[in-house]
Amino acid sequence: MSEQPAPPDLATETAVESEFAGMEVDAPRVGIVMGSKNDMASMEAAAKELEAREIHHEVRVMSAHRDPDTVTEYAKNAKMRGLRVIIAGAGLSAALPGVVAAHTELPVIGVPLTSSKSIAGGLDALLSIAQMPPGVPVACVGVDNARNAAVLAARILAT
Ligand code: RP5
């Protein structure tokens, strides 16, 4: 005797439907944020890499120091909006990746950037991003290596 397929669990289906209600089908999976429009020249390498891999992403400029409320709101809503990974680039006292990580459970990849006021070739930003306190991790790629952040984001999405 052939086995009958299990009847649909309507409660589960309804719960799943409501979870995805309002979420765009092609919502961005990766958010690329940076502390200044002056960071765009370095950070566009991440966007190019994601484009080449046909990974839907969005790009925003927001500073942890200059626009703290915007950063908080963005990070808090990121998961609900369908984002799976956030790439955050910043220079100098590069707080942006850490502040984003403080407000979301999504993986955050920090990109330390050089800027006109950097010291020690971007070591300031590198340490700001890498030296997160225990319990609030931020992955950190090399200085100005936004492309690697996108490659890592792609690998996270593939898991
Ligand atoms: C950081 O300060 C930004 O990420 C940028 O790398 C650096 C300098 O910002 P601008 O003065 O060039 O806007 O917040």
Side-chain angles (χ1 to χ4, degrees):
M1 198 168 102
S2 63
E3 269 186 36
Q4 295 296 311
D9 179 342
L10 290 180
T12 304
E13 281 184 8
T14 306
V16 170
E17 277 169 20
S18 67
E19 191 171 327
F20 287 98
M23 188 186 289
E24 288 175 47
V25 173
D26 60 350
R29 290 290 178 260
V30 180
I32 300 174
V33 297
M34 64 202 81
S36 167
K37 62 179 173 23
N38 295 325
D39 298 331
M40 195 68 85
S42 300
M43 292 303 291
E44 66 184 4
K48 279 186 185 156
E49 184 66 31
L50 294 175
E51 267 157 39
R53 293 166 181 261
E54 299 184 349
I55 295 172
H56 197 194
H57 58 279
E58 63 183 16
V59 179
R60 300 273 190 280
V61 175
M62 58 183 77
S63 162
H65 300 111
R66 296 161 173 157
D67 322 297
D69 293 343
T70 303
V71 172
T72 299
E73 193 180 348
Y74 182 85
K76 283 185 170 173
N77 292 331
K79 188 176 180 187
M80 181 197 63
R81 293 181 50 239
L83 293 173
R84 294 272 316 280
V85 185
I86 297 176
I87 294 172
L92 305 179
S93 175
L96 183 61
V99 171
V100 170
H103 291 294
T104 182
E105 60 190 41
L106 294 175
V108 176
I109 306 169
V111 185
L113 299 174
T114 50
S115 81
S116 58
K117 298 177 188 64
S118 292
I119 59 164
L123 184 62
D124 44 7
L126 178 66
L127 294 177
S128 297
I129 292 174
Q131 289 291 82
M132 286 295 290
V136 190
V138 169
C140 183
V141 297
V143 175
D144 289 333
N145 200 338
R147 182 182 170 215
N148 257 10
V151 174
L152 181 55
R155 290 184 179 189
I156 292 170
L157 288 172
T159 58

